[in-house]
Structures are given as structure tokens and as C-alpha cells.
């Protein structure tokens, strides 16, 4: 198992932990399948009224897809098989509130999870970045998800700068990506405080409010996501050329 799942029936809060710290909590096919399964399972569990998702260890919340994963792609540039497309709660039709507790790095495919959480609590040491362009890949789904949560110029900068720049937790808080900063090591505890409050309210009212909040941006996001497969298919370098770019270090300065 690549996930740890803890459910507190008294508080109504479940904690889902990506448990691959040796891989910086990168998502392989097994983890992707487990995430899809747990979100779908929570739809039928009345004892779970709010969820916190986090990553094991201090170094990373999640660093996206495990680079060891090989997913054969159709030859058409107008379609792709994306192994992360159903790892988020909304993609699995779960409308119970989900809070992300971010420790360490959150990059690339982590934005599928952050983009479908209600809000984000981050450790002061957390950083956010998107490595796609550095390695000859189009940031499509990731940029689209973040464009719903960040000012246009900020998401464009993060998406285009690749590994050359990391967004600090402080800056992420200032621009509204992060709703609360926690002391080092305190993101999960802080997220649990909010989750327990929300879980104490009538579930139907909470879930209806979640749906209402997401309805405000759903049409624009759906239209944008529909374009993602062909943008990726047309813009990504072939896999062997991408591999040749990995390991080349960028300046790595941080945006404060």
C-alpha cells in the first residue's frame, strides 16, 4: 500500500497520507489507483465528513508522477492516457471537503491534488514549482488547475520558469494559493483543526456549499481541460529527448 488512511469516527475526519517518502511521495500507478479507490469509497462512508490529505516525511508533500512509470501513449496528438487524471477527489465525484496539508516540495502532478482540494495549509518551509517546461513537457492540467487558484501572472510565471524557481510558502500565502501558514512541522495539525470544525457541521449543508463554490469555476475549467490532451500531444518532446534533459540543474532561486 502506498497510502495510509486513518479515520477518526468521533471527529468525522479522515487523513489520507501519501506514504512513499523515499520517492518524495511521487505517484506511481499503484498509488494513483489507491487514490481513486479511496475517494470513491469515502462517498459511501457517512462517518467521514471531512478529509485532510498530506505527504509522509518532511521533504515533500508530493513531487508528481514517479518518473519510473511508463505509460504507452496513443499515436494521435489529440489524445493522451493520463495516469493522474482521476487521482483528485472531484474527478471521483467526492464532494466532501478536502484540505491539503503541505510539507516540503509540492510540484508537477501534486497540483492535481491541490487543485481539487478546498484549501491549502502549508508548512512555512513548503515550496511550490512546476518542472514541466524544463524537461520539454507542456504544463497543461497543472497550469489549468493552478489558474483557478492563483493570479494569472503568478501561475504563468511558475508554469514557465520550470525548475529554475520555487514559490515559497510565504509568497504562496500572499497570493492566495495557501490559506494558512503553519510553523515547521505543523501543517497537518493546523489542517486538522479546520477539518474538525467543518466536520462538526451538518453534512448536507457542507457538501452543498462545496458544490456551490466549485460551480463558480467549473465551466471555465471544463473548457480548458478539454484542450489539454492535444496541447500535451503536440507540445511534449519525445520521451527519449525528455530523458536527456533530466538531471541538468537550473539556478534554483526562490521567489519570495
Amino acid at each position: 500500500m502506498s497510502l495510509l488512511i486513518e479515520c477518526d469516527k468521533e471527529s468525522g475526519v479522515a487523513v489520507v497520507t501519501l506514504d512513499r517518502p523515499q520517492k518524495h511521495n511521487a505517484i506511481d500507478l499503484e498509488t494513483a489507483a489507491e487514490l481513486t479507490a479511496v475517494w470513491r469509497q469515502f462517498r459511501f462512508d457517512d462517518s467521514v465528513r471531512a478529509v485532510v490529505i498530506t505527504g509522509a516525511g518532511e521533504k515533500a508533500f508530493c513531487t508528481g508522477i514517479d518518473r519510473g512509470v511508463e505509460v504507452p501513449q496513443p499515436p494521435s496528438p489529440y489524445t493522451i492516457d493520463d495516469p493522474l487524471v482521476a487521482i483528485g477527489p472531484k474527478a471521483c465525484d467526492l464532494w466532501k471537503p478536502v484540505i491539503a496539508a503541505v510539507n516540503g516540495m509540492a510540484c508537477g502532478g501534486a497540483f492535481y491534488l491541490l487543485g481539487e482540494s478546498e484549501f491549502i495549509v502549508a508548512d512555512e518551509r513548503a515550496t511550490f514549482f512546476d518542472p514541466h517546461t524544463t524537461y520539454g513537457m507542456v504544463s497543461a492540467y497543472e497550469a489549468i488547475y493552478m489558474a483557478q487558484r492563483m493570479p494569472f501572472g503568478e501561475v504563468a510565471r511558475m508554469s514557465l520558469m520550470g525548475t529554475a524557481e520555487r514559490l515559497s510558502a510565504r509568497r504562496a500565502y500572499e497570493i492566495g494559493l495557501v490559506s494558512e501558514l503553519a510553523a515547521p512541522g505543523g501543517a497537518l495539525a493546523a489542517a486538522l483543526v479546520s477539518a474538525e470544525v467543518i466536520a462538526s457541521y451538518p453534512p448536507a449543508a457542507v457538501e452543498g456549499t462545496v458544490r456551490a463554490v466549485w460551480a463558480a469555476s467549473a465551466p471555465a475549467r471544463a473548457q480548458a481541460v478539454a484542450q489539454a490532451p492535444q496541447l500535451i500531444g503536440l507540445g511534449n518532446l519525445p520521451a527519449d529527448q525528455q530523458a536527456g534533459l533530466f538531471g541538468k540543474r537550473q539556478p534554483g532561486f526562490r521567489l519570495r
Side-chain angles (χ1 to χ4, degrees):
M1 294 289 288
S2 303
L3 296 182
L4 291 177
I5 303 165
E6 301 173 87
C7 298
D8 184 338
K9 295 188 181 297
E10 183 174 344
S11 68
V13 176
V15 178
V16 176
T17 304
L18 300 169
D19 190 29
R20 304 185 77 218
Q22 73 283 3
K23 292 285 189 177
H24 289 163
N25 298 318
I27 298 172
D28 60 5
L29 296 181
E30 178 185 359
T31 310
E34 289 176 11
L35 283 165
T36 298
V38 76
W39 299 133
R40 292 192 175 279
Q41 173 190 334
F42 284 161
R43 295 182 306 159
F44 298 95
D45 190 344
D46 287 341
S47 70
V48 174
R49 298 186 295 278
V51 184
V52 174
I53 184 162
T54 192
E58 298 181 354
K59 293 183 177 179
F61 166 75
C62 174
T63 53
I65 193 167
D66 189 324
R67 291 300 302 176
V69 172
E70 294 186 11
V71 181
Q73 294 296 328
S76 170
Y78 299 103
T79 182
I80 62 167
D81 285 340
D82 185 345
L84 303 187
V85 72
I87 66 168
K90 307 304 176 292
C92 296
D93 200 34
L94 177 72
W95 298 96
K96 297 180 181 183
V98 177
I99 302 169
V102 177
N103 43 293
M105 295 181 288
C107 65
F111 298 152
Y112 286 69
L113 295 170
L114 299 184
E116 291 196 1
S117 299
E118 269 55 64
F119 57 90
I120 300 167
V121 176
D123 184 310
E124 291 175 347
R125 302 167 298 184
T127 58
F128 304 82
F129 62 102
D130 190 345
H132 281 75
T133 55
T134 299
Y135 302 123
M137 296 181 286
V138 175
S139 176
Y141 291 103
E142 295 82 2
I144 289 167
Y145 287 133
M146 291 298 98
Q148 308 298 308
R149 315 194 76 118
M150 297 168 64
F152 178 87
E154 297 288 352
V155 69
R157 178 169 181 155
M158 183 174 70
S159 301
L160 292 169
M161 290 294 287
T163 60
E165 187 169 278
R166 295 188 183 188
L167 190 70
S168 69
R170 171 61 59 181
R171 181 61 178 159
Y173 174 75
E174 291 171 351
I175 65 175
L177 174 61
V178 168
S179 71
E180 181 180 354
L181 286 179
L188 176 58
L192 283 170
V193 170
S194 294
E196 288 170 5
V197 170
I198 296 169
S200 72
Y201 298 152
V206 170
E207 291 182 43
T209 300
V210 170
R211 291 299 298 259
V213 170
W214 283 92
S217 60
R221 186 165 75 157
Q223 290 180 17
V225 165
Q227 298 183 51
Q230 55 263 40
L231 294 173
I232 294 169
L234 291 168
N236 275 16
L237 288 178
D240 58 337
Q241 293 184 38
Q242 292 179 26
L245 294 172
F246 275 87
K248 293 186 177 180
R249 293 188 176 273
Q250 299 292 317
F253 63 89
R254 294 184 178 183
L255 177 63
R256 295 293 179 182

